Amino acid sequence: MAGKKANRVLEVLTSVPIVGMLVGTVVTIVVQSSTLVTVMVVSLVNSTMLNLKQAASVIMGANIGTTLTAQLVAFRITDIWVYCAALGFILYFFVKRKSIKTTGLVFFAFSMLLLGLSLMSDAMRPLREEPMFLNLISNFSDNRILAMLVGLVFTAVVQSSTAVTGVIVAMTMEDLIPLSAALPLIIGTNIGTCFTAVLASIGGSTAAKRAAAIHVIFNTTGAIIFLVFLPQFEAAVLFISPEYDVPRQAANAHTLFSVISTAMFLPLVGLLVKAVTLMIPERKAETESITMYLDKKMLSNPNMAITLAQKELVRMAEMAGENVSLAIEGFVGQKKKKLKQLKKQEKKVDKLEKEIVSYLASASQTSMGRHMSIRHAGLLHAANDIERVSDHAINIAKLAENVIEEKIEFPREAIKEIKDIFQPVSEIFATAVKSVSENDTKLIPQIKALEALIDKKEKEMRAAHMKRIANGEISAEGGIIYLDILSNFERIGDHAMNISHLPQGKL
């Protein structure tokens, strides 16, 4: 459930660091897992939907959001799990409205979280009589480094700082460990939780590895600082917490650690990004990659896969549009350099179309809803139409080469007409791409009007040109080239119309 909405929230609302931090906090509170949010962030960075600065702020916020679970345990509200489960069961099975059923599922899942925390707390009770365990805890109290390492390893194995911190607070509730032992354990969990982000970045892009590195640096540096000033940290925790309530003290310590660490590092996000950029340089093979957004790791999430394919499609369309502009510049200005640039970029467009179609084919192996299936089919058709637009640009480029090589001259009026019709052709294609990029069906009437204008201009220009040929104002070869250019322009307009109908299947 988190994947469908949270990915979009993270992408849209994280442009300002403090907003990104708040979004990270709220999303983590909702999904009850900083590990999940961090892995999502690494995946979004890997697919270039978030930049490193945005990722850093969200990760910091996730560290704050995850402290809620410890607070729930400390306030001893785990016993309400049965009421949450009953409410969730009723809403899910007896209400038909989808949004209410989803709310019921959330309540039921939350009840399982509370039940799990309650069971962990009860399971700790017999350890109060276990001499070996009590001796181990005594070592934790005396050796803060050892305690931190235990918290680190435990979290790395379980892959959930939320669960481990819940266990630590539960242990304080059973009087198994004092606050002096709980603090370094909690600090260790904040380093151990980085392990999952590092795993998620393996095989990913350089940007994904940098995002994981930011998580490691942020949590590890904060942990070291707090470990050095552990007596002062303990004094601060005791100052803001109820006396003799060790569970509340441990939970507050977790929250205080995350809040202070974020307050220290959030203003330094820019420096942190520069540091990891220097530490992890760009790989040469990666800079040569033809695709920018497609991420095979996202194929298991069809919603995200379709979104990434759409972004890559828009990028491909921008290249195709530029190719048309280069073709006209080469023709009107007789510039061979522009035509060479076009041919080089046309190869990229062809490769991108193959990559996008292959990616969409893989995405279709997962279950999709009706709207997503419509979108999927639309993207496949649009990829073909965009590639055809680039082919028409190549056609015009070949005609331009003939003009240059044969030194064919065109009347000034004919060149002016080519420029005149190119304007609505360029506009209709750009508007069609915008309609895809923004999922905006309101642009379709504007595109239809432009297509009608192109058809009208094409007929008028064709008639005027036939008169020029009849009057001997242009050679037969030049006349054929002119008419071929008009035909290519008219076909580009048709393809733009096809592309613009894509947004009707909104995600």
Side-chain angles (χ1 to χ4, degrees):
M1 283 171 34
K4 197 167 185 179
K5 298 292 183 184
N7 285 326
R8 182 64 179 162
V9 171
L10 291 174
E11 181 188 359
V12 173
L13 300 179
T14 57
S15 55
V16 180
I18 192 166
V19 176
M21 182 269 291
L22 293 172
V23 169
T25 301
V26 172
V27 172
T28 306
I29 287 173
V30 171
V31 302
Q32 278 296 297
S33 173
S34 62
T35 302
L36 170 61
V37 174
T38 303
V39 169
M40 285 167 60
V41 167
V42 170
S43 297
L44 289 168
V45 170
N46 188 57
S47 55
T48 71
M49 296 181 75
L50 285 183
N51 61 41
L52 284 174
K53 198 170 183 179
Q54 291 172 306
S57 61
V58 174
I59 288 169
M60 292 176 188
N63 276 24
I64 296 175
T66 194
T67 63
L68 176 67
T69 305
Q71 294 290 353
L72 292 176
V73 178
F75 276 102
R76 297 172 173 82
I77 66 166
T78 52
D79 289 341
I80 69 167
W81 75 266
V82 67
Y83 304 107
C84 290
L87 177 61
F89 182 86
I90 291 168
L91 293 177
Y92 186 79
F93 284 101
F94 296 101
V95 180
K96 293 183 178 179
R97 192 173 172 183
K98 189 176 180 180
S99 60
I100 302 297
K101 289 176 77 72
T102 301
T103 302
L105 191 59
V106 170
F107 269 105
F108 191 82
F110 183 64
S111 73
M112 293 300 99
L113 172 67
L114 294 178
L115 174 60
L117 294 170
S118 177
L119 291 172
M120 284 192 291
S121 178
D122 293 341
M124 296 294 168
R125 199 163 292 140
L127 293 176
R128 286 184 295 185
E129 310 298 329
E130 180 59 50
M132 186 180 296
F133 181 78
L134 294 175
N135 184 52
L136 182 64
I137 294 302
S138 176
N139 289 333
F140 287 172
S141 301
D142 298 333
N143 191 332
R144 66 181 76 170
I145 303 291
L146 175 63
M148 184 196 72
L149 290 174
V150 169
L152 187 161
V153 173
F154 192 12
T155 307
V157 172
V158 176
Q159 292 195 31
S160 174
S161 62
T162 302
V164 176
T165 307
V167 169
I168 294 168
V169 174
M171 290 169 72
T172 62
M173 291 177 69
E174 299 301 326
D175 296 323
L176 291 172
I177 58 172
L179 181 63
S180 58
L183 292 181
L185 283 169
I186 289 171
I187 291 171
T189 65
N190 283 274
I191 302 177
T193 193
C194 300
F195 183 68
T196 311
V198 172
L199 284 178
S201 71
I202 294 173
S205 65
T206 299
K209 290 179 171 61
R210 288 171 179 169
I214 286 174
H215 192 207
V216 172
I217 292 171
F218 168 62
N219 281 21
T220 303
T221 306
I224 291 170
I225 292 171
F226 275 85
L227 201 63
V228 170
F229 296 98
L230 195 58
Q232 291 82 355
F233 179 40
E234 185 173 352
V237 170
L238 292 171
F239 179 76
I240 65 169
S241 306
E243 193 175 3
Y244 305 120
D245 193 341
V246 181
R248 288 284 307 282
Q249 292 167 3
N252 289 344
H254 192 206
T255 303
L256 191 63
F257 172 89
S258 298
V259 170
I260 292 176
S261 295
T262 300
M264 286 191 300
F265 281 95
L266 193 61
L268 304 174
V269 164
L271 291 174
L272 193 56
V273 169
K274 287 180 181 178
V276 296
T277 302
L278 291 172
M279 287 169 54
I280 306 174
E282 198 81 34
R283 291 178 297 180
K284 185 179 179 182
E286 194 170 302
T287 57
E288 296 172 354
S289 175
I290 189 68
T291 61
M292 182 180 290
Y293 298 106
L294 304 185
D295 182 2
K296 290 183 179 179
K297 290 183 180 179
M298 288 293 187
L299 288 172
S300 59
N301 183 337
N303 185 70
M304 278 298 298
I306 296 294
T307 300
L308 294 176
Q310 178 179 317
K311 283 179 172 286
E312 199 70 69
L313 189 81
V314 170
R315 177 168 166 259
M316 172 188 167
E318 289 169 351
M319 288 185 185
E322 187 182 347
N323 283 351
V324 177
S325 297
L326 289 169
I328 294 305
E329 287 178 45
F331 174 77
V332 173
Q334 297 196 356
K335 298 175 181 177
K336 285 188 175 182
K337 187 177 180 181
K338 297 289 183 181
L339 302 178
K340 286 181 180 178
Q341 185 180 343
L342 186 161
K343 287 181 179 179
K344 186 176 180 180
Q345 190 155 275
E346 160 63 9
K347 292 178 181 178
K348 289 184 179 180
V349 173
D350 287 343
K351 288 180 181 177
L352 271 176
E353 190 223 4
K354 291 176 183 177
E355 291 288 342
I356 291 169
V357 170
S358 175
Y359 188 79
L360 286 170
S362 298
S364 67
Q365 303 303 311
T366 56
S367 177
M368 293 184 184
R370 176 178 170 272
H371 291 305
M372 211 180 302
S373 296
I374 293 171
R375 192 80 182 157
H376 179 270
L379 288 172
L380 281 171
H381 288 297
N384 180 64
D385 280 299
I386 291 167
E387 196 273 333
R388 291 296 299 136
V389 167
S390 192
D391 286 345
H392 287 301
I394 283 290
N395 292 343
I396 296 171
K398 289 177 180 177
L399 295 170
E401 286 177 341
N402 287 340
V403 170
I404 295 170
E405 289 171 6
E406 300 297 329
K407 297 182 180 179
I408 299 171
E409 293 186 4
F410 285 81
R412 184 178 297 176
E413 188 63 28
I415 296 296
K416 182 179 181 299
E417 288 170 356
I418 291 290
K419 290 180 180 179
D420 285 344
I421 195 172
F422 172 66
Q423 183 182 355
V425 168
S426 177
E427 186 178 348
I428 192 174
F429 186 69
T431 308
V433 173
K434 184 180 179 183
S435 73
V436 173
S437 177
E438 299 178 4
N439 294 334
D440 190 358
T441 54
K442 293 178 182 177
L443 293 172
I444 292 178
Q446 180 184 342
I447 293 167
K448 286 182 177 179
L450 285 167
E451 205 248 348
L453 176 62
I454 291 168
D455 288 346
K456 182 183 176 184
K457 278 183 174 288
E458 191 260 348
K459 288 177 183 177
E460 291 173 353
M461 290 168 63
R462 189 177 289 273
H465 191 64
M466 294 305 292
K467 288 180 182 179
R468 278 194 292 268
I469 294 174
N471 294 334
E473 297 176 29
I474 189 170
S475 66
E477 189 176 2
I480 293 171
I481 287 173
Y482 179 92
L483 294 174
D484 282 346
I485 290 174
L486 288 186
S487 296
N488 280 285
F489 276 154
E490 194 272 333
R491 292 297 298 137
I492 290 171
D494 292 342
H495 288 300
M497 274 291 296
N498 294 340
I499 295 165
S500 68
H501 285 72
L502 170 60
Q504 290 180 356
K506 286 189 177 181
L507 287 176

